[in-house]
């Protein structure tokens, strides 16, 4: 009888102790969620741009731009016919249409960190500019757009002035082709602009006629 009471007292003491380990019935998924670590940085946080549109058969002239300073790149192929060099320059001539996802090494020492970039190589679809002459009046805001006809569907062209000294005072031409600003003086100006559609680039002359 005394032995039975000793076992009963020992059992009650064990029940009163707080659990030292998780219950075996705790869901495994719940325990895993509590130990998740932060995901690695995304490519957009290390590169200004990680997607590039190219044209089959057109020589590439683009750059990988790192967010941080002092970054070198590990040279290598990133698409059929296209390589990246240590400075981040994309060069070569794409020879196959398609979407290519390739790792590039960003190095600020050892080891390098790999980052994925996407190169979309499109077929060579001819294009031509339109609306290259814009009339305006002194002191009145301009509101025109340089456009293109043709080119691959869904690709946005880019525009860059190659000689800013040719722009009349107060007038701007943006990278989206918008001609704006308020002309400050009358005259005729011919402004050289480089237009690129998926890496297929050509130079045009925009004429501004201000009265």
């Amino acid at each position: 009888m005394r032995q039975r009471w000793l076992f009963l007292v020992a059992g009650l003491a064990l029940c009163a102790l707080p659990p030292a380990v998780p219950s075996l019935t705790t869901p495994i998924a719940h325990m895993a969620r509590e130990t998740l670590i932060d995901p690695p940085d995304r490519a957009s946080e290390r590169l200004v741009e990680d997607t590039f549109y190219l044209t089959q058969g057109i020589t590439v002239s683009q750059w990988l731009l790192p967010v941080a300073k002092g970054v070198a790149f590990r040279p290598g192929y990133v698409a059929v016919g296209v390589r990246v060099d240590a400075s981040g320059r994309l060069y070569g001539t794409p020879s196959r249409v398609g979407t290519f996802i390739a790792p590039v090494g960003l190095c600020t020492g050892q080891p390098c960190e790999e980052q994925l970039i996407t190169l979309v190589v499109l077929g060579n679809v001819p294009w031509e500019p339109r609306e290259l002459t814009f009339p305006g009046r002194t002191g009145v805001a301009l509101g025109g757009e340089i456009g293109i006809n043709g080119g691959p569907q869904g690709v946005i062209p880019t525009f860059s002035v190659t000689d800013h000294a040719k722009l009349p005072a107060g007038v701007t031409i943006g990278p989206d082709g918008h001609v704006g600003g308020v002309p400050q003086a009358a005259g005729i100006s011919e402004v050289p602009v480089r237009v690129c559609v998926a890496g297929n680039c050509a130079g045009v002359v925009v004429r501004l006629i201000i009265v």
Side-chain angles (χ1 to χ4, degrees), residues 32-33 63 67 81 87 95 105-106 112 123 131 135-136 155 158 170 175-176 198:
R33 283 197 297 270
W63 296 80
V67 173
S87 67
S95 58
L106 289 81
C112 299
E131 301 298 333
V155 177
T158 59
D176 57 353

Side-chain angles (χ1 to χ4, degrees), residues 101-122:
I101 300 175
V104 294
L106 289 81
C107 309
T108 53
Q110 293 295 335
C112 299
E113 293 184 346
E114 283 198 341
Q115 202 64 69
L116 294 178
I117 63 171
T118 302
L119 292 92
V120 181
V121 181
L122 303 168

Side-chain angles (χ1 to χ4, degrees), residues 148-191:
I148 67 164
N149 292 321
Q153 187 174 3
V155 177
I156 300 175
T158 59
F159 305 82
S160 56
V161 176
T162 57
D163 187 352
H164 287 272
K166 297 293 182 66
L167 277 170
V171 176
T172 61
I173 297 177
D176 57 353
H178 178 72
V179 180
V182 179
Q184 299 178 9
I188 298 176
S189 302
E190 293 186 338
V191 184

Side-chain angles (χ1 to χ4, degrees), residues 12 21 25 40 53 58 69 73 81 86 94 106 108-109 118 124 128 142 148 150 188 205 208-209:
L12 291 173
V21 295
T25 59
Y53 292 89
I58 301 295
K69 295 182 179 180
F73 292 86
L106 289 81
T108 53
T118 302
N124 194 338
E128 60 182 9
L142 290 170
I148 67 164
I188 298 176
V205 175
L208 301 165
I209 303 174

Side-chain angles (χ1 to χ4, degrees), residues 13-14 31 37 71 79 95 100 121 127 141 143 154 156-157 160 175 180 197 207:
L14 288 174
M31 296 174 66
I37 61 174
V71 174
S95 58
F100 302 88
V121 181
W127 63 268
I156 300 175
S160 56
V197 183
R207 175 171 290 186

